[in-house]
Amino acid sequence: MGSNYTHAMAVTSVETVDYHTGGEPFRIIENPPPILGDTVAERRVFAIGDPQVDGLRRLLCFEPRGHADMYGGMIVPPDDPGADLGVLFWHKDGFSTACGHGTIALGAWAVNSGRVAAPADGVTDVVIDVPSGRVTARVHTSGGKVQLVDFINVPSYLVAEKVALTTQYGPVEVAVGYGGAIYAHLDAASVGMEVTPEHHLDLIAVGREIKWALNDTEVAKHPSDSRLDGIYGTIIYDDFGRDAQGRLHQRNVTIFADGEVDRSPCGSGTASRVAVLHAAGQMAPGDVLVHDSIVGSRFIAEIAEVVAADGRQAVVPVVSGTAYKVGEMRFTVDPDDDLVPGFVLR
């Protein structure tokens, strides 16, 4: 697939492959404009400040070609030959450091497109460099079709617990956890809500409020890499205890960036959730978290191992889900269109 670029706001055409993971979109740009840097983390910094690259993000994310909750990734070279590809994740407000649902979609795309060879029946690791480190999409195939993808994340850990703050919904306590990005965790019941579609406007409001209240505080600072600083989102969850099989069962909505709603159970957010539950003694290796989304889709999460990272105890989460192709798109820009790159209403 190809693209034709002249300058930031003069894209004539661009082709994408669109997937969804648990209902959350992932728009793949296989051939973005040049993005400079020796590592994916460096390329993210370049992309944030480059009008051409950021202009492409806006064009494909903003209306009328996208929407306020659109999400995607630009394929870039990996940090070294040990990975199959690199990716820069993007949304309406910029470029994120991690994305589990996107990693699951990329694993399915890499195998479906033949970019990474896979047997008709078996398991194939697609190794991907992302701004927060190296992750793996473990793709399970049967009869030549992708059946399941395991997202094996970077080491994840608790940052802080029982962080008190006051919101328009009253005083709350949140935990803060790292799963490739930093998330605040709020029990929905503590603000009189449930994670259901009819509450989504209030969930967005409290999620944004908590994010911005904590974003410039000490709990939002990554201990070793300032490029990963900031509260990426707020995970608001319902806790259903354990199911008949003894598995933890929770439902969540992640309000990320500035008010975006993750339709999936959120891959890196689920990894952060596993880390917080492990630190609280609620989850150990061998335990399973059944993690549902606000639209009813589901991830299954486990702990691969307990490790040390950034001077603290951490876990390596494995988050399993499914991703499906929804289309191949060729977007064009009319030179007379005065709404390029587009707009968002939220």
Side-chain angles (χ1 to χ4, degrees):
M1 295 197 168
S3 304
N4 183 9
Y5 306 91
T6 54
H7 59 77
M9 290 296 100
V11 177
T12 58
S13 67
V14 57
E15 297 180 10
T16 71
V17 180
D18 283 29
Y19 272 71
H20 85 86
T21 305
E24 179 70 0
F26 193 73
R27 177 164 286 168
I28 301 168
I29 308 169
E30 189 172 358
N31 296 301
I35 303 174
L36 304 183
D38 292 330
T39 66
V40 173
E42 290 178 5
R43 289 187 178 95
R44 174 176 177 261
V45 174
F46 177 87
I48 290 170
D50 183 74
Q52 186 180 18
V53 179
D54 195 54
L56 178 61
R57 173 191 67 82
R58 292 167 182 258
L59 182 75
L60 295 181
C61 190
F62 289 6
E63 295 184 51
R65 295 165 188 84
H67 51 79
D69 296 292
M70 177 54 69
Y71 204 102
M74 299 179 184
I75 304 301
V76 297
D79 293 356
D80 60 57
D84 295 296
L85 56 104
V87 62
L88 296 182
F89 300 116
W90 50 262
H91 49 73
K92 76 175 177 67
D93 297 303
F95 293 87
S96 53
T97 61
C99 178
H101 94 271
T103 300
I104 290 171
L106 284 170
W109 166 77
V111 168
N112 286 334
S113 66
R115 187 181 182 110
V116 175
D121 300 283
V123 179
T124 302
D125 282 355
V126 179
V127 182
I128 304 170
D129 284 332
V130 307
S132 58
R134 179 162 288 176
V135 301
T136 298
R138 181 161 291 161
V139 183
H140 300 254
T141 51
S142 177
K145 295 183 64 176
V146 174
Q147 302 294 328
L148 184 73
V149 181
D150 304 324
F151 162 49
I152 304 171
N153 199 16
V154 298
S156 305
Y157 47 78
L158 176 74
V159 174
E161 57 184 347
K162 296 183 178 179
V163 178
L165 64 158
T166 301
T167 72
Q168 62 182 305
Y169 299 91
V172 299
E173 282 189 346
V174 301
V176 178
Y178 175 74
I182 301 173
Y183 294 90
H185 298 242
L186 175 71
D187 186 339
S190 70
V191 287
M193 297 182 198
E194 292 182 313
V195 180
T196 56
E198 57 266 29
H199 287 112
H200 79 278
L201 293 178
D202 284 329
L203 292 164
I204 292 170
V206 72
R208 293 175 86 175
E209 188 175 3
I210 290 170
K211 172 197 166 82
W212 294 119
L214 296 177
N215 196 58
D216 295 321
T217 67
E218 286 298 312
V219 299
K221 293 182 178 179
H222 189 274
S224 62
D225 188 345
S226 61
R227 294 172 299 187
L228 305 178
D229 286 355
I231 301 292
Y232 180 54
T234 304
I235 300 170
I236 308 168
Y237 64 90
D238 294 326
D239 188 350
F240 302 125
R242 293 186 181 268
D243 65 15
Q245 298 170 261
R247 305 176 302 178
L248 292 168
H249 184 198
Q250 297 189 350
R251 179 174 61 199
N252 91 96
V253 63
T254 299
I255 310 301
F256 68 96
D258 187 23
E260 290 198 47
V261 179
D262 198 326
R263 273 72 170 161
S264 81
C266 188
S268 56
T270 298
S272 175
R273 191 86 200 105
V274 166
V276 168
L277 289 167
H278 176 262
Q282 294 180 262
M283 193 170 182
D287 285 329
V288 173
L289 170 65
V290 178
H291 216 206
D292 294 340
S293 77
I294 193 169
V295 302
S297 53
R298 174 170 288 183
F299 289 162
I300 301 294
E302 300 180 76
I303 295 171
E305 58 180 324
V306 179
V307 298
D310 292 322
R312 64 195 74 198
Q313 188 179 77
V315 296
V316 176
V318 179
V319 180
S320 301
T322 54
Y324 300 97
K325 184 177 178 179
V326 298
E328 296 183 12
M329 318 299 181
R330 183 175 183 269
F331 294 97
T332 60
V333 175
D334 188 310
D336 296 324
D337 186 349
D338 60 359
L339 285 180
V340 174
F343 57 91
V344 288
L345 294 179
R346 189 180 74 243

